[in-house]
Amino acid sequence: EPEVTQTPSHQVTQMGQEVILRCVPISNHLYFYWYRQILGQKVEFLVSFYNNEISEKSEIFDDQFSVERPDGSNFTLKIRSTKLEDSAMYFCASARWTSGTSTDTQYFGPGTRLTVL
Amino acid sequence: SQQGEEDPQALSIQEGENATMNCSYKTSINNLQWYRQNSGRGLVHLILIRSNEREKHSGRLRVTLDTSKKSSSLLITASRAADTASYFCATRPQGAQKLVFGQGTRLTINP
């Protein structure tokens, strides 16, 4: 069964450094998402991406964040200058989302645990 | 309370018993989805119920949706130790693509 994959599984970085989190969505999916989960808290939506552009974003997704689909398979989240409060588990998700239906199951990857020191 | 609030926050039962978790939400939705998360791991999709559906089954899972009360329940029958995990409901608000998650219910199945 196809799966969403994410690399790395754990990233440790110094405050102020740039990080890039990578995801490979399921191959025939067209909608891509990033969420994050701070330890012990709920999963929060960051951004959705369709047709090579951001289709929706949350207040968390400020100028420090960017997303890109550099080729036909990868989807990346970049944090330009990490802060301590960016420490969290970051989940990538993808969905096929057939137009006209609401059966848009989002399939999540295993996550990247980001630790900012 | 916020969109997608589950109760109870924690539930501990004996293996073989049924587990029921509830979720409430605030806005109109397209669908509601339930996910499972084992400690420190990813989110596994369990079941999706559309806003025009009232009940759905998948194996030992039964989900109900009451849009008039803006609530949903997840029933796991004949629980097993492997069902120990956190369970989250997530709603897709109408007109949005994002999922809005609740705080989750931590379910512990005692052998």
Side-chain angles (χ1 to χ4, degrees), chain A residues 10-27:
Chain A
H10 193 185
Q11 172 99 42
V12 181
T13 190
Q14 295 291 326
M15 192 169 55
Q17 295 295 305
E18 174 183 288
V19 294
I20 297 176
L21 310 183
R22 292 183 166 80
C23 166
V24 179
I26 294 172
S27 63

Side-chain angles (χ1 to χ4, degrees), chain B residues 8-29:
Chain B
Q9 290 188 354
L11 179 62
S12 180
I13 60 173
Q14 294 299 119
E15 198 166 19
E17 294 180 340
N18 297 339
T20 299
M21 290 158 272
N22 302 297
C23 167
S24 61
Y25 58 92
K26 292 284 191 182
T27 65
S28 297
I29 62 171

